[in-house]
Amino acid sequence: MEALAVRLSGLDPHVEGAIRVVTFYDTLMRRRVDLAALARASAGLAECVVGVRLGGTGRAIRLSPEGMDASGPQAPASSTAPVTLDDEEIGTVWLERPGPPNPLDEVLLDRLAIAAAAAVERYGPARTTMADPALVELAISADSEEAARARALRLLGFAADLPVRVVAVRARLPLDRIGGLICPARPVKAAPLAGVGVLLATTVDRSAFPAGVRAGIGAAGSPDRSWREARTALRFATAGRPVVPYDELGALALLAQVPQDAVRDNPDVAAVAALADDPEGLETLDAYCSTGSLRRAADLLHLHHSSVARRIEHLGKGMDIDLTGPSGLIRARLALTAWRLLDD
């Protein structure tokens, strides 16, 4: 191939460059990279912002030459090409090059469109965020060697310099749908693991989690630590607070490390456990602990504050805790949280 390029370059100075572009994309396709990795590699090759959009999902990816999400509004496309699969146009690829187009831009976009179609055919538009569970486990396991972890992340499409955040999820919704919502335009991978949904993402939009999903979000950084944090945070997720970032737990995270036998033997926790057969009482205690105010708890429960006050007084007597005082409220909050962590 290189010898042919040298001979042809004597006739056309752009032929050798074009052949190198074709070889570049052939290599990416052999490695079975996904759309995010394909766009990242293309942006580095083109030395300008590259965009990929699929019409069926509306998903758009814009990456800078540094491999990061292209910030700011989309610039006018300097060159575009359709992505075609089975004679059907399924999307578009484009370059946002300032100034005149590069002589090789047409070849680059043509090969990018072909590679994008191959990626869609391989993974399917609805499964582009799904990944091999074994590969995800290798990326987040505390037992993985760093070289193996780095290779797994690279195969999943994450650049070495990109921070990776792990999310632990419990939901009936498909994981790829959740991943597409919380990280629509940057790398995200999903897989079920040990009864929990795992999402690996470079950014997480906390406000985008759909209803019915409970999630724990680990801090960005080492994936194994982020996974451990995400699982801990998931244990604190409730109907009232379904999405819990680990870094907002603070000292509460220490409760997850207390042995469960010690938690069960605690009188305050035992008093909360006794309320398990009293949904109304448990709901009232939860609202009061969450708000710290009789009036705000009454608003939450759609009751008059005097009715809530009577319930709290009754609950306090049964628990042998003065719930109206600051220390009693703290004890109730800790006991309620610790009780929820039991057998979770």
Side-chain angles (χ1 to χ4, degrees):
M1 178 70 77
E2 291 184 1
L4 176 62
V6 170
R7 291 198 300 272
L8 292 177
S9 63
L11 302 176
D12 186 337
H14 302 304
V15 168
E16 183 176 1
I19 293 177
R20 291 188 183 278
V21 170
V22 171
T23 303
F24 176 83
Y25 281 100
D26 284 348
T27 300
L28 291 178
M29 292 171 70
R30 283 197 302 271
R31 292 179 178 174
R32 298 176 177 269
V33 300
D34 62 10
L35 287 175
L38 187 60
R40 185 181 304 110
S42 299
L45 178 65
E47 298 183 337
C48 69
V49 173
V50 167
V52 180
R53 177 179 289 108
L54 297 182
T57 64
R59 182 187 181 196
I61 302 171
R62 291 177 64 240
L63 293 172
S64 69
E66 294 76 28
M68 307 297 289
D69 182 39
S71 59
Q74 180 177 329
S78 57
S79 306
T80 64
V83 179
T84 303
L85 183 62
D86 295 332
D87 297 324
E88 178 184 356
E89 186 173 324
I90 62 169
T92 307
V93 293
W94 69 90
L95 302 180
E96 299 175 26
R97 185 184 300 284
N102 185 293
L104 294 176
D105 282 356
E106 184 177 352
V107 177
L108 188 152
L109 276 180
D110 178 67
R111 302 307 297 182
L112 171 57
I114 293 172
V120 170
E121 184 176 29
R122 181 177 302 114
Y123 298 112
R127 297 176 58 237
T128 52
T129 63
M130 297 306 292
D132 182 353
L135 204 57
V136 171
E137 184 174 14
L138 187 61
I140 65 177
S141 174
D143 297 328
S144 297
E145 296 181 355
E146 289 305 313
R149 189 191 320 282
R151 181 175 181 273
L153 289 171
R154 186 171 64 253
L155 291 174
L156 287 168
F158 294 98
D161 57 345
L162 283 179
V164 177
R165 193 180 292 266
V166 183
V167 182
V169 173
R170 284 200 179 98
R172 294 183 178 180
L173 294 175
L175 287 176
D176 57 335
R177 178 182 170 188
I178 300 171
L181 290 172
I182 67 170
C183 189
R186 299 188 67 180
V188 58
K189 288 295 179 182
L193 193 63
V196 178
V198 182
L199 298 173
L200 278 69
T202 50
T203 60
V204 176
D205 183 355
R206 290 173 48 186
S207 65
F209 282 92
V213 173
R214 295 194 183 187
I217 305 173
S222 175
D224 60 322
R225 185 180 68 248
S226 187
W227 168 233
R228 186 171 62 251
E229 294 173 348
R231 284 183 298 167
T232 298
L234 178 61
R235 295 178 64 190
F236 288 85
T238 65
R241 191 188 182 193
V243 179
V244 180
Y246 179 85
D247 54 13
E248 291 185 6
L249 288 175
L252 284 176
L254 295 174
L255 289 176
Q257 301 179 27
V258 179
Q260 293 204 350
D261 287 343
V263 173
R264 288 191 182 92
D265 290 341
N266 183 271
D268 289 352
V269 176
V272 172
L275 293 175
D277 295 329
D278 179 14
E280 183 181 272
L282 195 59
E283 182 184 27
T284 302
L285 182 65
D286 185 24
Y288 180 61
C289 288
S290 299
T291 62
S293 162
L294 290 173
R295 291 188 178 276
R296 288 200 295 271
D299 291 340
L300 196 62
L301 295 169
H302 305 292
L303 295 172
H304 193 274
H305 70 275
S306 61
S307 299
V308 175
R310 285 192 296 271
R311 288 188 185 183
I312 292 299
E313 182 181 5
H314 176 73
L315 289 169
K317 290 179 180 178
M319 298 174 67
D320 196 22
I321 299 175
D322 179 11
L323 295 176
T324 61
S327 61
L329 180 58
I330 291 174
R331 284 174 59 184
R333 282 174 171 167
L334 289 175
L336 183 61
T337 302
W339 173 72
R340 283 178 171 148
L341 294 178
L342 287 173
D343 301 320
D344 194 353

